[in-house]
Every structure is written in structure tokens, then in C-alpha cells.
Amino acid sequence: MSEETVDASCEITGETGFGYTLSLVSGKYKMMILYSLAGLSPVLRFNELKRRIGTISYRTLSLTLKELESDALIIRNEYPQIPPKVEYSLSERGRSLIPVLDMMCDWGNVHRHDEANNKATASK
């Protein structure tokens, strides 16, 4: 893609559509959480999300979920029972981001072998 094909309205600053979108999904785990909630189980509990992501700490998962909820990308449902039961799901707004994440996944599947090929070529 050349510079001429990039939409001029999508500069990197937070005052543009690109910058705003990036601010919502940037972070090490936000996209992984959103993608997990878009999977086969559209409603997940905290420990289920932790198991799916694996490398995330409980504190980081908790903070990231709070950020996603405050950005209206996920819905947190708390049930008044003992022990407490909390479930997370995508909001309509969060579901609207999934096609973007799908495109990123498709791009990664196509191009992830390029890096290995480039490293092999560079080492010769």
C-alpha cells in the first residue's frame, strides 16, 4: 500500500477514526479478550477468560475487563448469589469490532510465514 492509498482522514492521532479505534483495542490483551468472547461461547466467566488467555495475570485481566466495559465493548452481568457469579459478553458495539479483528487474523495467517522467510533469506 502506498501513501497515496491511505485515507487522509485516518491519521494516527486520537482525534481521528483510526486513533480512536486504536485507543479502544490497544493493549496486550484487549483484542484477545474480545476475540474470546466472539468465539463459540459468547458468554464467559472470569476464570474461563483467564484459562483461554493463559498468560494474563488476574489483576491485568480484571483491569482490562473494566476498561473494555467502560468503553462499552463488553457487558458485565453480575448475579446476586453466593458465591458471586459474573459473566462477560460482547455488547453490540463490541460485536461490531469483530469483522476488524477477523481481517487482522486473516492478514496474519497470510503473512506470518513472510517473517520466517525474510529471516531465512537475511541469514544467507
Side-chain angles (χ1 to χ4, degrees):
M1 180 184 310
S2 69
E3 279 189 46
E4 294 85 31
T5 61
V6 176
D7 184 355
S9 68
C10 283
E11 295 176 12
I12 297 176
T13 66
E15 298 159 2
T16 64
F18 180 81
Y20 177 71
T21 304
L22 196 57
S23 73
L24 293 179
V25 298
S26 65
K28 188 171 182 180
Y29 297 104
K30 284 184 178 181
M31 287 188 271
M32 293 169 65
I33 292 168
L34 292 170
Y35 220 57
S36 293
L37 290 171
L40 297 175
S41 302
V43 176
L44 293 173
R45 295 178 71 181
F46 185 90
N47 285 328
E48 292 171 308
L49 280 166
K50 170 77 172 92
R51 272 192 297 275
R52 285 184 183 211
I53 298 170
T55 59
I56 192 170
S57 70
Y58 288 101
R59 181 178 187 277
T60 302
L61 179 56
S62 178
L63 291 173
T64 306
L65 287 168
K66 286 176 185 174
E67 288 176 15
L68 290 168
E69 184 182 15
S70 71
D71 290 334
L73 296 176
I74 64 170
I75 299 168
R76 180 182 189 270
N77 287 319
E78 186 172 348
Y79 299 94
Q81 64 185 46
I82 297 178
K85 179 181 176 183
V86 178
E87 294 179 335
Y88 297 92
S89 60
L90 288 176
S91 65
E92 275 302 312
R93 187 173 190 212
R95 275 193 285 282
S96 71
L97 266 174
I98 298 307
V100 175
L101 299 181
D102 283 337
M103 286 189 287
M104 290 175 68
C105 183
D106 293 343
W107 186 92
N109 285 333
V110 169
H111 295 283
R112 68 181 169 175
H113 301 291
D114 292 351
E115 185 176 342
N117 292 337
N118 290 340
K119 285 181 182 178
T121 304
S123 66
K124 290 182 182 179

